[in-house]
Amino acid sequence: MLFIELNSSKMKLKYLTILLSGIASICLVSSCTDLEEELYDKVKDDDFGTTPKEVEALVGGAYSSLRGFSDEISNSFPTAEYVFFLNEVASDEATIPTRGQDWYDGGRYQDTQRHQWDSENGMILSAWRYCYTGISKVNAIIYQIDQSGLEQADKDPIYAELRAIRAYYYYMLLDMFGNVPIVTDFEDQELPANSSRSEVFDFVESELLDVLPNLRSEIIYSKFTKNVAYTLLARLYLNAEVFVGTARWEDCLSMCQQVSGYSLNPDYFANFVTENQNSNEIIFAIPYDSDAGTLGNYLHSMTFHYLHNLTVSVTGNYPWCGNGICAQPGVYSKFLDTDKRKASMLEGEQINLATGSVIIMDSGEPLIYTEEIIDFTNAKQNEGVRLNKYEVKEGEKWERDHDLVVMRYAEILMMQAECHVRLGSAELARPFIDQITQRAGTETPQTIDLDYLSDELLREFIFEGRRRTDNIRFGTFFEPWWEKGVTPKTHGIFPIPKSELDKNKNLEQNPGYPQ
Amino acid sequence: MNTKIIYKSWSVLDQYRTLLATLMLVMALQLSYGQGTRTVSGIVYDSDNQPLVGATIIQQGTTNGTTADFDGNFTLGIPETSVVLEISFIGFKTASVTVGENNSETIEVTLEPDMLSLEAVELVAVGYGTMRKSDLTGSISTVAAEDLAKGTLSSTEQVLQGKVAGLTVVQGTGDPSSGASLRLRGGTSLTASNNPLIVVDGIPGVDINQVQPGDIASVDILKDASATAIYGSRGANGVIIITTKSQSAGFSVSYSGLSGVSFASNHLDMLSANQWRRYVRDNGVQGAIDYGAFTDWQEELERLAFRKSHTISLSASGEQSGLRSSIHYMENEGLVKTTSLERLSANINVHQFALDKMLRFDIGLFATIDKWHPLDYRIFERAFNLNPTIPIYDQNGAFTEVAGTLYENPLEILAHRTTDDKRNRLLGYFKTEMDFTRDLKGVVNLSMENNQRTGNTYKPSTAVLEGRTEGGYGQKVYEEYTNLQIEAYLTYTKELGNHRMNLMGGYSFLENTYEGFGAQRSGFETDLFGYNNLGAGQDYRLGDVYSYKGKSNLVSFYARANYSYDNRYMVTATVREDGSSRFGEDNKWGFFPSASLAWNLSNENFMDGTKNWLNQLKLRVGYGVTGNQDGIGEYKSLSILGVGQDSYYDPATDSWKQAYAPTQNPNPDLKWESTEQLNVGIDFGLFSRISGSIEWYQKTTKDLLYTYQVPQPPYLVGTMLANVGELSNTGIELTLNANVLSTDRFSWDANLTLASNEQKIEKLSNQVYETDVIYSGSLHGLSGMSNQFSQIVKEGYPVGTFWGYESSGLDENGAFILSEEKTDIGNIQPDLTLGFGMNFTYDNFDFSFSTYGMFGQKVLNATNMMLYDPNRLPAYNVPDDFLSSGITSDPTFSSYWVEDASFLRLQNLSFGYTIPMDKVFSNFRVYLMGENLMTFTSYDGVDPEVDISGLANPGIDRFNNYPRPTTISFGLDITLKN
């Protein structure tokens, strides 16, 4: 008889035991030791990049890398703070004075101002990491595209775009650090060694020339097209003498001549308004949109006085400002009053819109931005004229909406002008310069020489983050100015950050810096 | 004392040959054959002639035995031959009775109490079961309910403050909604959690606030690795086992109520309006604006705060089942306006026996609802900044606004924002205990813990901070986690003559799921909706809506063997194998063994001569390995793509799209942090009045997980989680309990805990990762200190070492005299932690106090560093003492601001009277209690007890000056029993 009479506690217990053992053994052999990780809100790299839409999202990541980042190690934004600050403060157009205790920050701006930076300067690390984080990301994306099932013909234009973006990063490294490692393979886990500055130059040149045929010819805002590659090559050749010791003025000219489809915008500041994507002068820009969650675009909050919001909005509806970077003394007066570009700076009394009177600082003094900075290690709150190039609007968010202009047609004109002057035909430069000065409301001088060009470049491109490169090319970088003495030739490139040398024993410090 | 009596009958056992299919093969099982051919019966009494329920009756030299029932009766089948029965019961001397060949009389046995062994049979929770205290070989401290800290506690951690040697409980702020941090024997990790594992009623990994202080019966703290290794990868930071109150026999209902009032124990002395005016007048200060009022901004933020709590508990228990339930309501107002913690919690547990008490079921449920209002901590800095002559309200009755940096009216910040947070905690379990034989028991415990938090914020368009620029800002966030656990284990206990053996083996499975979502919006046309209608906000930004989810598993096998011989020699060994889904493919499993020995010298014959004063002397030594995997997050070993701030502009559609990008450097070699610990301990008892223990330990954490900076290239991103470093902690602990005086009417007890720990980073590099120094203790956000750090993590130093210029005071111009080079200027680790308390009773009066203290730790007084700034006056207020300090230098981080924050706090003082109402109530006690009555310290800031957890800014007093309350309360405890 199959019926089991469970008539005693002991019997019940016995069967319960057998039942439990059964459950337990099922458990032990099956899922109860499963330690695979299940993903929900993320995706494994192998599972992504198979559809064109996914590939597009991957390539998008290479473009978004251009906006930089901020992490626990560095703040690496090209728009504000340390990548931008480094190049500006090292040049003759800007300064970040220490005001009381504010903006001392371990002396990093003072050291940079005096051209006495060392390899532990956090801004130098920021610039290095901006480039290499971008490069690593592009390498990873190239690897992802390798793995994708796309046809070779579909892959080629994608590779071209990605390699061009990578070349742009390497161009910046070439300019700032010179002798840097070249890494192009995501899977290569070796610690890389330096390449020489001329090897880096050759790499940037050959990469750009190599991908040019596969880049798109039409004007596509914010994308790496043929025109952008030509402009970058022109920049490369313009500075070739600095980079590798051999001048390439003709090559620069021929690249400039390839750029087509752009024109100067009659309104200089139309390039810097919030909706600047509509300007036909812009060759390459990094787009920003506060609503899209883009980060790092808060330069105006780094320059204006703490109470500046009252000058923008009756209710003070403008983001907090930190009273930092401003123009070096002498820069403001380099502009004629008729020069429209002078409005790139803000000088004078600042009016409280609510009261109509001048803002009073907490020292009891009126807020008047002055060109003079008496002691840049202990400046007054109001000293220094402020950066005012991009549009300032009431009710703006901390993250501003305007796109960062990287290349615009004015640069093509100025490069050609400079090459002609360098090649000894200053008069050939005049038509190019005339376009620039006419728009600015000034006049081209009788003699177009390098001194004039240097000043005109300052006026045209002030606070666009490129002045250091121009200073070096014109040699002024190494001469004393304002708060600094003679700069050693070796300081034309920055030292490789100490923390990078510590982590990678194959890296060598740049000459002229302590090992 | 925690004496466990088990009622059951084994008389039927002998009838069956028991075949046991065991879950675990680690246990060899002895089978018991019944061979009874006659039956003997008897009754066991204690010396008061009360039946001794549960006494054990064993036929000498065999495993044949039984236990006495509810009336002390027993029957046992024995062979026809003459046999000797041994009758024993914990706390009594064992008696032997010879039953002659033909003797069939009922045996009557009276057991004499054994005073010595009464102390020794205290049971201690050791994880997956209990052990006799006398058999312990590891370092375990036990705190009974009556010894836990009392008061208007907002978080359960606080019950242990100053109670356990080596356990540091730091309450970093007086905010009732913020918890305390727990550290046992220093921290073991830089990245993973440093919190001890909390085990509630056998369920590991529980939020300690699932349990309310009133429901705790006892807390056992497993300190050394030989004790915690049974929790393997979860045990590196120590284990705190909380046993909640169980059903007591009969019926009882009790009420506890506490009602009190709090005020701030200390303020920073800033210039008053008149002091400010005098300063301006006497010094002819230019540009000073007198706004005409007299405002003490710190006091204006505060209020007299009321606190109350009510707890009702009910307990009923019969022979087969029992129930205990409690409900608790608490409202702790914060000293700072708008802050508070409101808690409603309920707890119920039920047990039921079945199958002649061979089967026991337990169901328990804990539920808690907390409501609070998170504070915008920026108000404290504003309160120090604002000129004391500024009125709170302007002529129109609106909050006064004066333009300036960090100069917003703090009362406006308090008033014009709504923050409502809520947390629901739920813990439930279903436990089955099955006695397969008298010696072999199986336990299966299924449990679920769920913790949900909802956060709501609204900043109206009138709010000075964020509200105006955002045009009204609303946010809702929701997050939850769920832990599902199965714990199944077998225990086998055997006592044979002088041999006592305890084996345990089991399996556990944990699944942790976390998920959440949030939404925020700004640009509201009206502020009427608050956070309740986010859709009304018109500005929408990418990232304003998000959700996430993740999961991890932990699988474990474990076993423990404990053997003791003649109450003199004890040995324990444990093994645990843990598998975690979080680690790399090849390192998912970790092995955590331990072994420990103890020698109870006082039970040796050669110690007889000292017995009159040395009641107990036991030496213990243990070694074990534990692990840590908490707090490091999931998916770190995988190469994954994520979305984040990675949007890109698509010119073709003039729109923004989401980019996908690799987010981390995968580390497939990721593995457990493992902590090796050696512990030597002595337990002693002196003059039958003093008992205590001394412990020495050394623990080393290897394969320290840290997010290292890696070279870029070849790595994708600049950091990577990796196992590299090594960290050690060495220390000594002393625990002393003394019954100083005890007479019929008067008693006086005292207790003392002392601990000293020394921490050192041993290593930060290996062949792959080289790190010279990690900077921590960020000063970012303080004026002029962007990206500056105050601390280092470096080989040879403890975590939280301040690294800066040594200051030898001020020169004649009031400038800081600073050393040339930065150097070690102290660290946040206390040299000594102390807890001391006394209890007195005299007839129906009782009086007690408790103190705790930390000594030798340094705190960076960043509040003063920034306030003693000559640039502040007249616009910004300064402390009184600034005027006489002579400081003329700008704020500079140096040893000048690194202060000794040693303190001793009189945390609790209570005076009670038990009203004799025996006819109605078994207890009726009223008491007055004061909390945080006095603090002895030379620290200059508001309070020396600064949070020292984490790496970001431990031991830095930085405008987080929520005042610590002093509370006076009145309480009432009533118990009704039948």
Side-chain angles (χ1 to χ4, degrees):
Chain A
M1 202 163 101
L2 280 169
F3 179 74
I4 302 165
E5 200 180 346
L6 298 177
N7 58 354
S8 81
S9 302
K10 195 64 210 175
M11 279 296 280
K12 287 179 189 166
L13 191 68
K14 188 172 160 184
Y15 287 102
L16 217 59
T17 305
I18 294 164
L19 188 71
L20 280 178
S21 315
I23 294 169
S25 47
I26 291 166
C27 182
L28 283 177
V29 297
S30 63
S31 64
C32 290
T33 55
D34 184 13
L35 295 173
E36 277 302 306
E37 280 191 292
E38 244 178 283
L39 287 106
Y40 296 90
D41 58 359
K42 298 177 182 66
V43 56
K44 271 194 201 168
D45 58 355
D46 324 347
D47 301 338
F48 197 82
T50 49
T51 68
K53 261 204 142 132
E54 288 180 353
V55 169
E56 209 184 314
L58 281 171
V59 177
Y63 282 102
S64 69
S65 77
L66 292 167
R67 293 194 302 267
F69 60 92
S70 173
D71 65 9
E72 62 265 46
I73 309 171
S74 68
N75 168 315
S76 297
F77 293 125
T79 26
E81 301 214 43
Y82 305 141
V83 182
F84 180 77
F85 285 178
L86 176 66
N87 285 293
E88 285 291 327
V89 175
S91 81
D92 65 0
E93 69 182 13
T95 180
I96 302 179
T98 306
R99 304 175 196 269
Q101 168 70 5
D102 212 3
W103 294 96
Y104 177 68
D105 299 348
R108 63 168 71 117
Y109 316 114
Q110 292 188 16
D111 291 348
T112 306
Q113 192 74 57
R114 297 184 173 116
H115 284 195
Q116 288 168 355
W117 48 73
D118 61 31
S119 63
E120 291 185 72
N121 191 308
M123 297 199 288
I124 293 176
L125 178 66
S126 292
W128 174 278
R129 294 195 66 233
Y130 171 68
C131 299
Y132 274 115
T133 301
I135 289 166
S136 299
K137 210 163 181 179
V138 173
N139 286 344
I141 295 165
I142 290 175
Y143 170 79
Q144 288 283 119
I145 304 293
D146 288 343
Q147 310 297 307
S148 74
L150 292 186
E151 298 292 324
Q152 192 59 38
D154 294 331
K155 281 180 179 175
D156 285 340
I158 295 170
Y159 284 139
E161 225 173 319
L162 291 169
R163 285 168 64 192
I165 294 170
R166 188 173 63 191
Y168 171 70
Y169 282 120
Y170 275 110
Y171 169 80
M172 280 187 281
L173 287 167
L174 171 70
D175 175 42
M176 291 189 285
F177 297 96
N179 312 294
V180 300
I182 299 171
V183 178
T184 55
D185 182 0
F186 176 64
E187 286 189 289
D188 184 2
Q189 290 296 301
E190 290 292 303
L191 292 177
N194 311 63
S195 296
S196 71
R197 200 177 194 184
S198 60
E199 284 166 343
V200 180
F201 181 94
D202 292 345
F203 173 76
V204 174
E205 182 186 20
S206 65
E207 282 287 291
L208 288 172
L209 292 174
D210 201 27
V211 303
L212 255 173
N214 282 317
L215 288 172
R216 287 174 286 184
S217 323
E218 59 271 42
I219 293 177
I220 309 169
Y221 184 77
S222 80
K223 296 293 167 190
F224 221 106
T225 59
K226 278 198 171 72
N227 279 317
V228 179
Y230 291 136
T231 310
L232 186 56
L233 278 163
R235 265 191 198 181
L236 183 75
Y237 296 135
L238 182 72
N239 294 291
E241 193 170 23
V242 173
F243 294 158
V244 293
T246 314
R248 304 276 292 269
W249 311 115
E250 279 97 349
D251 290 333
C252 176
L253 276 175
S254 79
M255 283 302 153
C256 289
Q257 283 149 15
Q258 302 283 335
V259 177
S260 65
Y262 301 95
S263 61
L264 278 195
N265 195 314
D267 177 7
Y268 177 77
F269 288 103
N271 292 308
F272 307 106
V273 294
T274 305
E275 300 295 321
N276 55 350
Q277 68 268 28
N278 301 319
S279 171
N280 190 42
E281 184 178 334
I282 296 173
I283 298 171
F284 189 59
I286 303 173
Y288 283 83
D289 186 324
S290 166
D291 287 349
T294 56
L295 297 181
N297 201 9
Y298 48 80
L299 179 61
H300 281 148
S301 281
M302 298 287 99
T303 183
F304 293 139
H305 185 268
Y306 316 115
L307 301 178
H308 194 90
N309 60 326
L310 304 173
T311 73
V312 181
S313 158
V314 175
T315 56
N317 186 3
Y318 186 75
W320 176 84
C321 293
N323 203 31
I325 190 166
C326 55
Q328 265 185 33
V331 169
Y332 188 66
S333 42
K334 273 213 163 76
F335 288 71
L336 292 175
D337 285 345
T338 54
D339 193 334
K340 289 172 186 158
R341 298 169 301 189
K342 196 165 192 168
S344 300
M345 285 160 287
L346 195 59
E347 192 254 7
E349 288 184 343
Q350 299 303 309
I351 306 298
N352 183 334
L353 291 183
T355 63
S357 50
V358 179
I359 290 168
I360 303 299
M361 300 185 290
D362 55 33
S363 62
E365 295 166 309
L367 177 59
I368 305 169
Y369 294 136
T370 63
E371 181 172 3
E372 199 54 51
I373 299 170
I374 293 160
D375 176 1
F376 94 105
T377 63
N378 191 14
K380 290 174 138 185
Q381 288 186 7
N382 61 307
E383 287 181 322
V385 295
R386 305 310 160 107
L387 284 59
N388 195 35
K389 200 159 188 176
Y390 285 95
E391 188 179 13
V392 173
K393 284 205 302 198
E394 179 180 8
E396 273 186 306
K397 302 291 186 285
W398 172 261
E399 295 296 343
R400 314 301 206 268
D401 279 336
H402 61 75
D403 301 345
L404 178 73
V405 180
V406 178
M407 297 167 183
R408 54 190 175 90
Y409 189 62
E411 183 180 356
I412 299 295
L413 298 176
M414 289 302 286
M415 282 196 283
Q416 293 180 80
E418 185 179 336
C419 288
H420 287 304
V421 174
R422 300 264 186 195
L423 289 166
S425 351
E427 277 316 297
L428 289 178
R430 185 170 296 276
F432 297 107
I433 301 283
D434 278 345
Q435 293 184 55
I436 298 289
T437 51
Q438 267 169 27
R439 177 173 70 168
T442 59
E443 278 175 19
T444 315
Q446 287 304 312
T447 328
I448 300 174
D449 58 12
L450 287 176
D451 284 350
Y452 165 73
L453 274 175
S454 173
D455 286 351
E456 198 57 48
L457 282 167
L458 169 79
R459 287 186 285 263
E460 180 63 26
F461 297 108
I462 187 162
F463 306 140
E464 290 186 44
R466 42 168 290 163
R467 183 65 182 162
R468 178 187 144 274
T469 315
D470 291 345
N471 284 151
I472 292 170
R473 195 172 66 255
F474 284 88
T476 50
F477 189 79
F478 306 99
E479 294 159 11
W481 69 49
W482 193 40
E483 292 284 350
K484 83 169 188 74
V486 170
T487 300
K489 286 283 177 205
T490 50
H491 279 41
I493 50 177
F494 292 114
I496 291 175
K498 180 177 182 296
S499 60
E500 296 301 311
L501 294 171
D502 289 348
K503 286 180 293 190
N504 179 356
K505 294 293 173 211
N506 297 335
L507 276 186
E508 247 181 79
Q509 184 53 283
N510 277 331
Y513 293 101
Q515 288 303 310
Chain B
M1 196 175 307
N2 200 345
T3 320
K4 203 168 177 180
I5 300 166
I6 299 160
Y7 312 94
K8 66 186 64 142
S9 159
W10 283 103
S11 53
V12 288
L13 179 79
D14 304 351
Q15 305 304 316
Y16 299 98
R17 173 179 170 168
T18 312
L19 178 67
L20 286 161
T22 54
L23 301 179
M24 300 295 303
L25 298 174
V26 288
M27 251 169 253
L29 186 64
Q30 216 177 329
L31 302 178
S32 164
Y33 292 80
Q35 46 176 203
T37 54
R38 62 173 173 148
T39 309
V40 62
S41 59
I43 184 160
V44 187
Y45 295 111
D46 66 12
S47 48
D48 293 334
N49 248 359
Q50 294 295 314
L52 210 45
V53 187
T56 308
I57 301 93
I58 286 188
Q59 181 190 341
Q60 196 179 52
T62 71
T63 58
N64 182 29
T66 185
T67 47
D69 69 9
F70 232 61
D71 304 314
N73 291 317
F74 70 88
T75 50
L76 181 68
I78 53 169
E80 297 290 0
T81 51
S82 175
V83 297
V84 177
L85 295 183
E86 285 183 347
I87 297 101
S88 62
F89 191 67
I90 38 178
F92 293 84
K93 288 177 175 158
T94 302
S96 303
V97 179
T98 309
V99 186
E101 228 169 291
N102 299 313
N103 192 344
S104 57
E105 286 169 31
T106 300
I107 304 162
E108 277 189 30
V109 191
T110 304
L111 295 186
E112 296 299 321
D114 179 350
M115 292 324 284
L116 199 72
S117 94
L118 255 181
E119 280 172 52
V121 292
E122 255 183 83
L123 289 181
V124 174
V126 292
Y128 309 108
T130 55
M131 231 149 82
R132 293 182 181 212
K133 190 169 187 189
S134 61
D135 285 354
L136 287 183
T137 54
S139 172
I140 300 179
S141 297
T142 301
V143 188
E146 58 269 24
D147 297 326
L148 293 170
K150 307 279 190 303
T152 56
L153 309 179
S154 297
S155 66
T156 308
E157 295 94 326
Q158 291 167 295
V159 300
L160 292 168
Q161 198 154 36
K163 300 300 176 188
V164 182
L167 182 71
T168 321
V169 184
V170 175
Q171 179 81 27
T173 140
D175 188 340
S177 65
S178 74
S181 70
L182 292 171
R183 278 295 164 280
L184 191 72
R185 294 185 164 180
T188 61
S189 184
L190 297 175
T191 307
S193 167
N194 277 309
N195 297 326
L197 177 75
I198 309 292
V199 180
V200 173
D201 289 343
I203 306 153
V206 170
D207 179 345
I208 194 169
N209 284 300
Q210 292 279 13
V211 182
Q212 300 314 309
D215 291 328
I216 298 176
S218 69
V219 184
D220 296 291
I221 295 92
L222 278 50
K223 299 202 276 196
D224 76 329
S226 72
T228 64
I230 197 65
Y231 286 103
S233 65
R234 313 179 79 179
N237 294 307
V239 179
I240 296 176
I241 300 183
I242 296 176
T243 308
T244 63
K245 284 179 180 159
S246 57
Q247 308 83 3
S248 51
F251 169 79
S252 75
V253 58
S254 58
Y255 166 82
S256 292
L258 190 63
S259 178
V261 61
S262 304
F263 47 90
S265 59
N266 197 12
H267 283 128
L268 216 55
D269 283 325
M270 304 296 287
L271 292 186
S272 68
N274 279 340
Q275 285 173 304
W276 182 90
R277 288 184 181 111
R278 195 176 313 128
Y279 168 81
V280 167
R281 191 184 58 230
D282 293 355
N283 295 280
V285 177
Q286 295 300 304
I289 305 166
D290 187 338
Y291 296 86
F294 301 81
T295 310
D296 182 329
W297 289 102
Q298 284 180 90
E299 278 192 3
E300 292 298 337
L301 296 177
E302 291 167 15
R303 61 178 168 187
L304 214 54
F306 293 93
R307 305 187 150 200
K308 53 178 177 278
S309 81
H310 305 281
T311 307
I312 296 172
S313 64
L314 193 114
S315 171
S317 185
E319 203 183 327
Q320 293 289 330
S321 59
L323 170 143
R324 184 181 181 277
S325 174
S326 73
I327 188 151
H328 171 71
Y329 174 78
M330 176 188 81
E331 190 182 354
N332 280 357
E333 281 184 349
L335 287 177
V336 173
K337 290 166 185 169
T338 76
T339 59
S340 67
L341 177 69
E342 193 185 356
R343 171 173 294 169
L344 182 62
S345 77
N347 158 230
I348 184 163
N349 60 66
V350 182
H351 78 258
Q352 173 71 49
F353 283 110
L355 302 182
D356 291 336
K357 290 190 174 168
M358 286 181 294
L359 205 53
R360 177 186 162 124
F361 299 105
D362 279 89
I363 290 182
L365 204 57
F366 299 82
T368 307
I369 302 172
D370 282 357
K371 288 181 180 174
W372 73 100
H373 309 285
L375 185 63
D376 189 329
Y377 270 66
R378 292 178 291 187
I379 58 168
F380 298 113
E381 188 172 2
R382 305 301 193 271
F384 296 139
N385 284 349
L386 258 61
N387 178 327
T389 67
I390 297 175
I392 300 165
Y393 302 100
D394 63 19
Q395 328 61 313
N396 307 321
F399 286 105
T400 309
E401 282 180 41
V402 177
T405 300
L406 309 178
Y407 219 65
E408 295 83 4
N409 186 332
L411 285 147
E412 193 277 344
I413 300 177
L414 269 187
H416 282 170
R417 57 189 61 217
T418 316
T419 56
D420 296 318
D421 275 27
K422 193 171 96 168
R423 176 177 277 119
N424 295 345
R425 297 186 180 94
L426 190 66
L427 172 67
Y429 64 86
F430 173 63
K431 187 159 93 171
T432 311
E433 284 183 55
M434 205 155 124
D435 296 327
F436 297 110
T437 72
R438 188 160 46 88
D439 306 318
L440 182 70
K441 193 167 88 168
V443 179
V444 178
N445 196 351
L446 308 175
S447 67
M448 188 274 290
E449 186 190 14
N450 179 259
N451 205 320
Q452 307 174 355
R453 186 181 80 88
T454 319
N456 300 294
T457 305
Y458 190 75
K459 298 172 186 172
S461 53
T462 51
V464 288
L465 282 172
E466 291 98 18
R468 281 182 201 167
T469 49
E470 300 279 335
Y473 168 87
Q475 185 194 42
K476 273 182 103 78
V477 295
Y478 174 82
E479 58 190 35
E480 74 161 322
Y481 69 80
T482 305
N483 286 328
L484 291 176
Q485 281 188 94
I486 303 166
E487 299 268 4
Y489 57 95
L490 290 171
T491 58
Y492 178 74
T493 324
K494 194 78 204 167
E495 208 173 327
L496 271 180
N498 288 330
H499 307 274
R500 191 159 53 236
M501 188 167 66
N502 191 313
L503 300 175
M504 186 280 297
Y507 160 82
S508 77
F509 177 80
L510 163 68
E511 181 185 280
N512 168 270
T513 315
Y514 60 89
E515 58 193 297
F517 60 83
Q520 56 191 22
R521 221 119 191 236
S522 52
F524 288 85
E525 294 294 332
T526 169
D527 292 322
L528 291 173
F529 302 125
Y531 52 71
N532 296 304
N533 191 350
L534 294 184
Q538 288 167 18
D539 289 356
Y540 172 79
R541 274 167 267 172
L542 211 73
D544 275 357
V545 175
Y546 63 89
S547 66
Y548 59 88
K549 182 178 177 173
K551 195 166 100 173
S552 69
N553 292 343
L554 184 73
V555 175
S556 317
F557 297 94
Y558 44 84
R560 175 175 55 219
N562 172 256
Y563 168 78
S564 96
Y565 174 71
D566 198 21
N567 287 327
R568 285 187 287 160
Y569 312 106
M570 302 90 190
V571 54
T572 309
T574 68
V575 287
R576 177 151 165 153
E577 179 95 26
D578 274 339
S580 168
S581 61
R582 284 179 175 151
F583 293 108
E585 207 51 58
D586 302 330
N587 290 317
K588 288 209 186 283
W589 290 90
F591 180 66
F592 305 99
S594 85
S596 52
L597 297 165
W599 179 21
N600 199 342
L601 276 95
S602 41
N603 286 351
E604 295 286 356
N605 290 335
F606 60 78
M607 294 292 282
D608 283 350
T610 57
K611 272 239 161 85
N612 54 339
W613 63 273
L614 186 61
N615 320 111
Q616 201 208 352
L617 184 65
K618 184 167 155 189
L619 298 179
R620 291 180 276 105
V621 58
Y623 175 82
V625 182
T626 49
N628 196 350
Q629 60 123 24
D630 243 18
I632 62 159
E634 287 70 38
Y635 314 121
K636 295 285 193 249
S637 70
L638 303 178
S639 183
I640 50 176
L641 302 176
V643 298
Q645 299 297 342
D646 267 334
S647 52
Y648 70 98
Y649 177 69
D650 178 26
T653 57
D654 186 22
S655 64
W656 286 81
K657 291 183 171 171
Q658 192 68 60
Y660 283 74
T663 54
Q664 63 182 11
N665 295 319
N667 184 353
D669 300 326
L670 216 56
K671 63 179 176 192
W672 313 80
E673 287 185 344
S674 64
T675 300
E676 295 169 11
Q677 186 173 184
L678 176 67
N679 189 88
V680 180
I682 302 172
D683 298 329
F684 55 87
L686 299 169
F687 308 107
S688 302
R689 289 198 178 280
I690 300 170
S691 67
S693 62
I694 300 172
E695 309 273 352
W696 174 88
Y697 61 87
Q698 182 173 49
K699 59 177 180 175
T700 306
T701 306
K702 291 183 172 157
D703 296 323
L704 214 53
L705 283 165
Y706 189 72
T707 306
Y708 286 88
Q709 295 193 14
V710 290
Q712 228 181 330
Y715 290 99
L716 177 65
V717 290
T719 57
M720 177 157 135
L721 187 67
N723 301 86
V724 179
E726 204 175 300
L727 172 75
S728 73
N729 284 281
T730 310
I732 296 183
E733 293 159 358
L734 170 72
T735 307
L736 272 182
N737 292 301
N739 179 244
V740 184
L741 216 71
S742 179
T743 70
D744 285 349
R745 302 183 65 188
F746 182 70
S747 81
W748 174 11
D749 294 321
N751 56 74
L752 172 75
T753 65
L754 275 176
S756 164
N757 182 65
E758 204 182 307
Q759 191 185 63
K760 201 161 91 177
I761 309 270
E762 301 286 347
K763 243 168 60 178
L764 277 178
S765 303
N766 63 14
Q767 294 90 330
V768 188
Y769 306 93
E770 289 207 33
T771 304
D772 177 38
V773 59
I774 296 164
Y775 293 98
S776 63
S778 173
L779 301 177
H780 192 79
L782 296 174
S783 178
M785 301 198 181
S786 295
N787 295 78
Q788 303 294 297
F789 296 92
S790 62
Q791 297 170 353
I792 52 162
V793 177
K794 193 178 166 75
E795 287 179 13
Y797 296 91
V799 172
T801 298
F802 290 106
W803 190 257
Y805 300 110
E806 184 83 54
S807 168
S808 41
L810 300 171
D811 66 14
E812 63 276 14
N813 301 319
F816 296 116
I817 307 171
L818 300 179
S819 61
E820 285 291 307
E821 294 290 318
K822 287 187 176 184
T823 175
D824 172 6
I825 50 175
N827 67 71
I828 62 164
Q829 308 283 349
D831 297 328
L832 190 71
T833 52
L834 173 146
F836 176 65
M838 285 189 178
N839 304 309
F840 303 87
T841 59
Y842 180 76
D843 287 345
N844 288 328
F845 292 95
D846 62 82
F847 171 76
S848 69
F849 72 86
S850 69
T851 62
Y852 70 90
M854 288 164 66
F855 303 90
Q857 78 278 18
K858 301 290 190 291
V859 163
L860 168 59
N861 192 338
T863 307
N864 276 0
M865 178 169 81
M866 301 316 290
L867 292 181
Y868 282 61
D869 176 354
N871 304 310
R872 289 176 68 87
L873 282 169
Y876 291 75
N877 203 1
V878 294
D880 292 2
D881 289 342
F882 167 74
L883 297 182
S884 54
S885 71
I887 292 175
T888 58
S889 296
D890 290 342
T892 309
F893 165 61
S894 76
S895 66
Y896 196 91
W897 303 111
V898 176
E899 293 186 41
D900 186 331
S902 300
F903 72 90
L904 180 69
R905 196 189 300 285
L906 176 56
Q907 177 57 22
N908 192 303
L909 193 143
S910 76
F911 181 74
Y913 179 67
T914 303
I915 304 170
M917 298 178 76
D918 298 355
K919 293 206 175 98
V920 193
F921 300 106
S922 60
N923 182 32
F924 197 115
R925 176 175 173 259
V926 292
Y927 61 96
L928 259 179
M929 178 155 63
E931 289 169 80
N932 183 25
L933 294 175
M934 245 189 284
T935 304
F936 304 93
T937 183
S938 62
Y939 182 69
D940 268 342
V942 173
D943 197 279
E945 191 176 336
V946 175
D947 192 16
I948 54 171
S949 62
L951 260 192
N953 47 12
I956 300 180
D957 169 355
R958 179 180 162 165
F959 295 116
N960 43 353
N961 303 71
Y962 195 112
R964 189 174 295 270
T966 292
T967 307
I968 307 294
S969 46
F970 169 78
L972 175 64
D973 290 334
I974 310 173
T975 307
L976 180 79
K977 251 187 184 153
N978 75 341

